[in-house]
Structures are given as C-alpha cells and as structure tokens.
Amino acid sequence: MLFRSDADDHDHELEDDEDKNSKGKYITDIAGDIEKVLKKKPASQNGAKQTTKTQAFDSPDEGHLENPTSLLEYQEKNSPTGFVVKYPADKKYYGTYELVYLIAKMGAFTKKVLPQTDLLVGPLSDANGGPQAKGQKSHQNGLDADFAFYMRGQKASEPNAVAASGGKVSSNFMLEEQWMLFKYIVTARVNDGIAIDRIFIDGTLKQALCQYAIKKEELKRDTKSGPAFETLRRLRLWKSHANHYHVRIKCPQGKVGCWQMEDPSLTSGCF
C-alpha cells in the first residue's frame, strides 16, 4: 500500500483513545485572538513589501491553509537537501513555513546520520489545504506530513516498504537510526518553540522502540522527562501506519485561528 492516498490510513480508528476523542482545544481564547489582531502593526507606508507567512486555520481535520510554503520549491532550490518529495505530481507538498523548515532539518539530519539515504516525504497538504482526495480527514491545514521509515534498500521510486507485519518488525527496519531521528525532531526547535505535537505510528514499531530505549537505559518505569520519554510520549498508536509515519506539528506560536490539541498524557506508553 502506498502512502500517496492515505485513504485507508487516516480514516481508521485511532488506537489511542485520547487522540480519537479530542479534536483539540483552541490555542488561545477568542478575546486573545482579537487582541492579537488589533495589536498588529499597520502596513508599511514607505512602499516596502510586507512578508506574509503561511497560516494554518482550524484543525488538521477541518481546516485550510493560506500563503502556503512549498516543500518541492525548497527542494529544487537547495538540492541536495537530504530529502525527496516522493510524489510531486500529486501536488500535496505544501505546508506552513514551520513544517517545511522542520522537514529541511530532518533532511539535513538524515544526510548526517545516513549519508547514502534520502528522507522520503509523502503528502503534506494541497496548496489551499482543505479536504484531501478519497475522504482523507487530516492534512487539511498544513501541519501534517507523512514519511517513509528508514528501511534498508528502500528506493524513492518504489512503494514504501512495510516495517512491521504480523506483530513482527522487519529485519530491514533501521531501528537505531529511526529512533535517533524521532528523538531529534521531538526536541527540535522552530521559531523558539518545540515543533512536534504528535507522531502517529504502528503499535508493533512503537513497542520495538520502547524496548530499545529500555535496553539502552534511556527509559525506566519511573521516568517522566527527558528526550527518550518525551519522544515515546508523542509516538501515538494508529492503525495502518506500518509503512509510514505521520508527523503533526503544533500550531505556530502566536498565530490566530489555529486549533491545537491538548498535549498527550504524561506517560511513555511503554509499561
């Protein structure tokens, strides 16, 4: 199954109930948003062009995107980037500036850790966001992106390799490197704030990452903080995510009209 359509992926029932039942709460109150609008600086009077950054509105399931940033354009202008937009013909390579910036950092990290490997990037959002093809519910406001796992022998021209099946992890899954990438992006800062909200992943793969973190003594039963704990806390179980993972970033700080889910419970989910 390719991750280019995602129709069978994102409409499946969430395994983490708190994600399934929570649309998310507004990142600020209405009065706070109005105050931000009123305090905006007026347009320049000297003819200088103002820069308008991308804006995510509402939630990833019921939102839209304005002034999008193109990941494909970044790739073409900055090659080599360490990542590849896998299906450019689908034109689902738009996101907020913050999401594109994070993916650029992920590509650079990939080239550092795996010089012969590219980070394979699947759908972000359409240019204007909104509902995706075939009833897909997420990826609507430029905060979501899909990625292939690090897999030995994986090529950009091929369908995504399955990293887990029948409760077993594939021998081609690069667990150590994937764990390093997850820890990196969960702690990565964008615009002076932690960017990652959640990463949706297959349950068998999360359990393998739990066991790895415990074996390396990065995680113990009473751990409630630190990179390993925070990473596992944000790795959320979602069915049909054995051939890709889904990254969702937080609403950009100070942005008006973006809905933000509450943080996951303070537990790693490993014990």
Side-chain angles (χ1 to χ4, degrees), residues 87 102 118 131 204 215-217 241 254:
Y87 301 111
L102 178 65
D118 285 313
T204 298
K215 179 180 178 181
K216 292 294 183 179
E217 298 186 347
H241 277 62

Side-chain angles (χ1 to χ4, degrees), residues 155-179:
K155 296 180 180 179
S157 60
E158 300 174 341
N160 292 336
V162 175
S165 180
K168 295 182 179 180
V169 177
S170 168
S171 59
N172 289 325
F173 177 55
M174 304 173 75
L175 185 148
E176 180 180 359
E177 292 82 359
Q178 192 69 58
W179 173 239

Side-chain angles (χ1 to χ4, degrees), residues 27 56 58 141 143 195 249-255 258-260:
I27 198 168
D58 302 321
N141 69 348
L143 299 180
I249 67 169
K250 295 181 178 181
C251 288
Q253 292 184 352
K255 290 299 180 74
C258 183
W259 287 76
Q260 173 65 49

Side-chain angles (χ1 to χ4, degrees), residues 57-185:
F57 286 95
D58 302 321
S59 73
D61 292 346
E62 299 178 2
H64 68 281
L65 179 64
E66 293 185 3
N67 303 311
T69 301
S70 170
L71 182 67
L72 184 63
E73 182 178 344
Y74 179 91
Q75 174 185 303
E76 291 172 344
K77 289 183 175 179
N78 297 279
S79 184
T81 59
F83 68 81
V84 172
V85 175
K86 195 165 182 187
Y87 301 111
D90 289 351
K91 297 182 179 180
K92 299 182 186 298
Y93 44 73
Y94 296 96
T96 62
Y97 163 84
E98 290 81 6
L99 179 61
V100 170
Y101 181 75
L102 178 65
I103 294 172
K105 289 170 71 72
M106 293 169 68
F109 181 87
T110 300
K111 273 304 176 192
K112 180 179 178 181
V113 175
L114 295 167
Q116 305 305 314
T117 298
D118 285 313
L119 178 74
L120 303 183
V121 187
L124 278 67
S125 296
D126 290 331
N128 297 314
Q132 304 291 294
K134 299 183 180 179
Q136 181 180 322
K137 293 181 179 179
S138 58
H139 291 258
Q140 291 198 29
N141 69 348
L143 299 180
D144 294 10
D146 287 343
F147 302 86
F149 290 107
Y150 288 152
M151 300 287 291
R152 294 179 184 86
Q154 175 75 76
K155 296 180 180 179
S157 60
E158 300 174 341
N160 292 336
V162 175
S165 180
K168 295 182 179 180
V169 177
S170 168
S171 59
N172 289 325
F173 177 55
M174 304 173 75
L175 185 148
E176 180 180 359
E177 292 82 359
Q178 192 69 58
W179 173 239
M180 291 170 63
L181 177 65
F182 283 157
K183 285 193 298 180
Y184 173 74
I185 62 176

